Amino acid sequence: MNVGSENPAAKSLDSALSRIPALDGLRGLAILLVILCHAYIFQGTNVYLDKTALKNVWGLARFGWCGVELFFVLSGFLITSILFNTKESPQYFKSFYGRRAVRIFPLYFAVLLIFYYGPISFFHAYRFEPSHKIWFFLYLANWKAGFWPVDELTLFWSLCVEEQFYLVWPLIVWLTGKRTFPWLCLGVICASLAAGVAIEFAHVPELVIWCASVPRLQAIVFGSLLAWATRQTWLDQLTNYLKVVLPAAFGLMLVCALKPPYFRSLYTLEFLISAIAWSALLLHCYTHSDGFAARIMRNRVLRSFGKYSYAIYVFHACVLYYVARFEIRLLGGYIWPYSLLLGITLATVFAACYLAGFLSWHLFEKHFLRLKKHFPYSMVSTVSSVQENGSEAVVAERSAAAVAS
């Protein structure tokens, strides 16, 4: 295997990854799975779920946590692709950190300020400890959340994991050569897997396994490894294996979701299985843009949920608490069977989450994105690739879309 040879066509295209429609659809799928999972375990709905004739089918919703793994794979893939394309830029670090800050910080810190300093307690679905706030403001809460009572802010653990990744990964990419990079990724994946298994057998609280950064690095680094793989001349040969890897990985995910009596749940291995499955699906959508999976992911509804997924994730716990609880109390005595009640409730929750994301984007988030003009990317690799391929107009359009994202 020649790890050093790069595919010029892939190199020119990956500057537009953040606007490939199928990847937006994958984001939408991820957030829908997360909402479905939390709707299942939510205190106000699980009583009714267990009374439906479809109890066993609804039980699969618990495995919707794997939507977070999909988010991680996408983050690793997109961020590493951007870093590869801008590695020679003189403003490499300034542009990356500046653009990440204006995209992520405003909404995140605004919500923290409302939670901790707001004059009303409308958002306080659970009682939480104000002394925890320093951990959230420093994006370190995921290291402590496993030892705390669950509240709405606990769901911010995944945002902390991603922010820690954003902090260190640009330096790693900048320092690592293209021959060394894949071996580094494989080493990190193996270390993450071993550390996660060790933590599980240490009998710490279960939530520590879910929230700590070390066991959850597998999916992010798998995505980063994909970003490297898509730039290699042997990419077509790699995609031939997807016919085997995709069904096998998703079959194993189904086994994990069903949890048969003989199955000994080891969450770190489930993280690995879901990371492989989502990585295979992402690569399939990337390399087979006209394939069946990519066409599904280009669905307008999925793409729309994907566009607002960040704000939806931030607000969906509050939506579940207030909308689902209120609706079930209001309609519980009038609608039967329970399956119909739950269907109406879930539809309302999805609609309310979407509305929260839509309003957040248009009234708040997108105004901060104008600050990205102060942190322009200089994509040297893209320019040279355009000149080699003679597709200036097409690639320039895609590059502009990526920079604006």
Side-chain angles (χ1 to χ4, degrees):
M1 178 185 302
N2 182 8
V3 296
S5 59
E6 294 187 358
N7 184 338
K11 195 173 182 180
S12 66
L13 289 176
D14 69 0
S15 62
L17 290 176
S18 59
R19 279 298 171 264
I20 291 179
L23 301 192
D24 278 338
L26 285 171
R27 287 193 195 93
L29 174 63
I31 193 60
L32 290 175
L33 286 172
V34 171
I35 295 172
L36 189 62
C37 172
H38 292 150
Y40 178 85
I41 65 177
F42 176 59
Q43 201 171 29
T45 59
N46 54 14
V47 174
Y48 292 92
L49 284 168
D50 290 338
K51 293 180 180 179
T52 66
L54 300 175
K55 175 183 176 181
N56 293 332
V57 176
W58 281 115
L60 294 176
R62 289 175 299 184
F63 205 71
W65 61 261
C66 68
V68 175
E69 295 297 288
L70 177 52
F71 274 128
F72 286 164
V73 170
L74 281 164
S75 291
F77 181 63
L78 296 169
I79 292 305
T80 305
S81 296
I82 290 173
L83 294 174
F84 280 154
N85 258 0
T86 61
K87 190 174 181 179
E88 303 302 323
S89 170
Q91 299 184 8
Y92 172 78
F93 291 103
K94 177 184 176 182
S95 296
F96 177 81
Y97 289 124
R99 296 170 74 85
R100 286 294 89 197
V102 299
R103 177 66 188 100
I104 295 170
F105 287 174
L107 180 62
Y108 179 82
F109 287 114
V111 171
L112 289 184
L113 290 173
I114 292 173
F115 266 86
Y116 285 113
Y117 301 107
I120 57 176
S121 59
F122 175 79
F123 292 95
H124 300 178
Y126 302 94
R127 182 176 299 175
F128 56 88
E129 176 54 54
S131 64
H132 297 165
K133 62 185 176 184
I134 187 62
W135 294 92
F136 285 104
F137 278 104
L138 293 176
Y139 277 102
L140 294 173
N142 65 304
W143 291 101
K144 298 283 288 184
F147 302 96
W148 295 338
V150 175
D151 57 42
E152 309 103 310
L153 295 184
T154 302
L155 297 178
F156 284 14
W157 70 268
S158 64
L159 305 181
C160 296
V161 171
E162 291 205 359
E163 194 62 29
Q164 292 162 31
F165 169 74
Y166 296 154
L167 180 64
V168 302
W169 202 246
L171 180 61
I172 291 175
V173 172
W174 190 68
L175 292 175
T176 307
K178 56 188 176 184
R179 290 180 176 272
T180 309
F181 184 80
W183 302 110
L184 173 69
C185 289
L186 292 173
V188 172
I189 292 169
C190 292
S192 173
L193 177 62
V197 173
I199 292 173
E200 289 201 63
F201 282 100
H203 303 295
V204 297
E206 182 178 298
L207 201 57
V208 173
I209 309 298
W210 292 87
C211 298
S213 298
V214 175
R216 306 312 294 266
L217 282 177
Q218 300 171 55
I220 297 180
V221 180
F222 257 113
S224 300
L225 191 57
L226 283 186
W228 170 85
T230 56
R231 306 163 74 87
Q232 308 307 311
T233 54
W234 42 261
L235 177 62
D236 291 339
Q237 299 174 16
L238 177 64
T239 57
N240 291 334
Y241 294 103
L242 292 178
K243 297 177 182 179
V244 176
V245 175
L246 264 174
F250 277 96
L252 288 174
M253 282 180 66
L254 180 60
V255 172
C256 294
L258 292 172
K259 295 189 182 298
Y262 55 83
F263 182 71
R264 195 280 187 202
S265 178
L266 194 61
Y267 294 120
T268 308
L269 293 180
E270 293 186 14
F271 300 157
L272 177 64
I273 292 169
S274 60
I276 293 173
W278 292 130
S279 296
L281 180 60
L282 190 157
L283 184 60
H284 181 76
C285 290
Y286 176 81
T287 57
H288 298 79
S289 58
D290 293 328
F292 178 70
R295 291 200 302 271
I296 293 177
M297 292 304 126
R298 289 200 299 268
N299 177 275
R300 183 175 298 179
V301 174
L302 284 178
R303 289 172 57 193
S304 191
F305 269 93
K307 178 179 180 179
Y308 307 123
S309 59
Y310 177 45
I312 291 174
Y313 186 87
V314 169
F315 291 119
H316 81 277
C318 288
V319 170
L320 273 172
Y321 183 86
Y322 289 103
V323 174
R325 174 167 292 191
F326 174 79
E327 185 169 8
I328 287 178
R329 286 181 176 177
L330 180 67
L331 303 178
Y334 302 96
I335 296 181
W336 190 89
Y338 290 123
S339 297
L340 178 59
L341 172 62
L342 287 169
I344 295 174
T345 301
L346 288 175
T348 305
V349 166
F350 284 132
C353 286
Y354 180 86
L355 178 61
F358 178 87
L359 293 176
S360 174
W361 172 265
H362 290 283
L363 298 180
F364 186 76
E365 295 172 76
K366 75 175 184 180
H367 301 292
F368 288 93
L369 294 182
R370 296 171 184 169
L371 298 174
K372 284 189 174 183
K373 65 183 180 182
H374 299 294
F375 308 100
Y377 276 138
S378 176
M379 291 180 285
V380 178
S381 60
T382 300
V383 173
S384 61
S385 185
V386 169
Q387 294 172 343
E388 291 173 4
N389 293 317
S391 304
E392 291 88 347
V394 175
V395 178
E397 180 181 355
R398 289 171 171 170
S399 299
V403 172
S405 65

